[in-house]
């Protein structure tokens, strides 16, 4: 199974949609709430150059925002 990291914030509806998507598809993921950890925020910025969430890292493939099509491509 591919390693999936989702960078989130507490009240982000698109973050919740992404987490729900992975759960419904049966994928495990690691959530990193960037509000709670500055190291995770810096890590997300280095990977994506973005402050917006969600940022999804699937084995090094970075997806900015919630895009089921891009997620499916990265998982295949």
């Amino acid at each position: 199974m591919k390693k999936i990291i989702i960078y989130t914030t507490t009240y982000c509806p698109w973050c919740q949609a992404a987490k729900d998507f992975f759960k419904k598809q049966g994928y495990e993921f690691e959530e990193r709430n960037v509000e709670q950890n500055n190291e995770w925020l810096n890590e997300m910025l280095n990977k994506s150059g973005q402050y917006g969430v969600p940022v999804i890292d699937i084995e090094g493939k970075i997806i900015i925002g919630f895009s089921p099509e891009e997620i499916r491509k990265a998982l295949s």
Side-chain angles (χ1 to χ4, degrees), residues 13-56:
W14 294 111
C15 299
Q16 188 60 51
K19 293 186 290 184
D20 290 345
F21 175 85
F22 284 113
K23 288 176 188 173
K24 287 178 186 172
Q25 300 297 317
Y27 287 99
E28 293 182 16
F29 59 87
E30 178 182 346
E31 179 179 4
R32 296 186 179 177
N33 187 318
V34 299
E35 291 176 316
Q36 299 172 351
N37 186 311
N38 282 335
E39 286 182 33
W40 290 342
L41 174 61
N42 290 328
E43 187 177 287
M44 179 185 81
L45 289 171
N46 287 333
K47 288 181 180 184
S48 70
Q50 300 286 320
Y51 278 97
V53 289
V55 170
I56 302 167

Side-chain angles (χ1 to χ4, degrees), residues 3-23:
K3 183 174 181 178
I4 301 167
I5 301 170
I6 306 175
Y7 297 92
T8 66
T9 59
T10 305
Y11 299 105
C12 165
W14 294 111
C15 299
Q16 188 60 51
K19 293 186 290 184
D20 290 345
F21 175 85
F22 284 113
K23 288 176 188 173

